[in-house]
Amino acid sequence: MRELLARVYAALPPMIGTTQPVYVASGAATGMMESAIRCGARGRVLALVAGAFGERFARIAEACGRSVTRLVAPPGDTVSADALSDALEHGEYDAVTAVHVETSTGSMADVASYGRALASHEDVLLLVDAVSSVGGVEVEMEAARMDIVLSASQKALALPPGLSFIACSQRAMARAVELPDRGMYLDVVRMDEYWRRGETAGTPAIPQLYALDAQLDAIAREGLAKRFARHRAMAAAVHEWAGDAAAREHGVGILAEEGVRAPTVSCLTVPGDAVRLSQLLRERGFEVGAGYGTLSASTIRIGHMGDHTVREVSKLLDALDDALGELAP
Ligand SMILES: *Cc1c(COP(=O)(O)O)cnc(C)c1O
């Protein structure tokens, strides 16, 4: 286990563009969102909300007793850096929460622009949910001035659920040691103590760690640049299909606006019953994500991430053409 953890601890930081440790815990990503708040937010949080997961981050902050102000973008859009700068001018915050790829809408925020907006606000930490981006698209933690980045095993890393990850900048670590209510399991200071010993802070989810070790090896063999290019190619295939006359005839669109579309997940607006459409796709051997929350009746989501290929995505799009034909003959 020590040898395995040593390999995992060495392989994770480059995936998110940091030289800081990446801590691994057994649990869902939501736990690490709470960890980011408990260890990174003192009292006043500015939450950038572009969908359900941005809203979840805001609610976690509230549940942890922080005072939260939301900056909300319409579904399919992202909060602009200008809006962030403006909010920072007019309010006192000590942390900003952001979601890199908003899985509920398929949008991707320009986190680097958030980092630039925060450049003159030394004391404001940038806490980033990178659950649907790590392993599928570049995450440049240090270059983009992110203070806390969290992720999990079950999205673009294409692993079973059960593992979550968190990394902290030195500034975030310095803040954490001063915060009184970090709790225990989610405390990054405690995680760091175990990391230094080459261990994990709780009993490790050993089967998942074997899978992670194997997958990190497979990712290294593919190469990160190639892996990210494959994700962009899968997204492009979906965008192209949706821009085609055939899809337009079916009345299908992409929720996320051009320029903010994620390479890892697409949210399609569909005419008629989205739940029925998912069923028709399942009958054809394809599993798509249902729309999330308020978008459940009107959208489906294609998770073109992880180990999927352009070829498989093309087959799915053929099946989608077919299913749409049956939905509205
Ligand atoms: C899936 C997801 C989560 C929640 O992950 P859990 O492991 O279910 O807690 C959080 N944020 C984003 C962006 C996600 O896609």
Side-chain angles (χ1 to χ4, degrees), residues 14 43 56-57 60 65 72 75 85 89 112 126-127 146 154 177 182 193 198 245 253 261 293 296 301 305 319 324:
R56 181 180 298 189
F57 224 164
I60 291 170
V72 182
S85 295
E89 288 306 313
L126 179 56
L127 319 179
M146 300 183 222
Q154 76 272 27
V177 291
R182 304 192 303 272
E193 285 162 19
R261 291 176 180 169
S296 65
R301 291 173 304 148
M305 62 171 86
L324 282 163

Side-chain angles (χ1 to χ4, degrees), residues 9 21-23 190-200:
Y9 283 154
V22 177
Y23 313 117
R190 184 165 172 271
M191 288 182 205
D192 189 66
E193 285 162 19
Y194 283 87
W195 177 85
R196 281 168 198 283
R197 302 207 292 262
E199 299 172 359
T200 58

Side-chain angles (χ1 to χ4, degrees), residues 28-31 33 53 56 99 101-103 129 131-132 152 154-155:
T30 304
M33 294 169 85
F53 291 104
R56 181 180 298 189
V99 176
V101 170
E102 176 52 73
T103 324
D129 169 344
V131 176
S132 268
Q154 76 272 27
K155 302 281 170 71

Side-chain angles (χ1 to χ4, degrees), residues 107-171:
S107 69
M108 180 164 74
D110 181 0
V111 260
S113 73
Y114 298 161
R116 286 192 294 276
L118 284 164
S120 52
H121 299 265
E122 255 304 299
D123 196 42
V124 186
L125 300 192
L126 179 56
L127 319 179
V128 179
D129 169 344
V131 176
S132 268
S133 42
V134 171
V137 59
E138 291 85 350
V139 178
E140 300 289 351
M141 179 169 175
E142 272 161 25
R145 194 213 173 271
M146 300 183 222
D147 290 291
I148 297 188
V149 171
L150 65 99
S151 194
S153 52
Q154 76 272 27
K155 302 281 170 71
L157 290 170
L159 288 167
L163 290 180
S164 49
F165 314 102
I166 194 165
C168 300
S169 68
Q170 283 170 351
R171 175 169 41 201

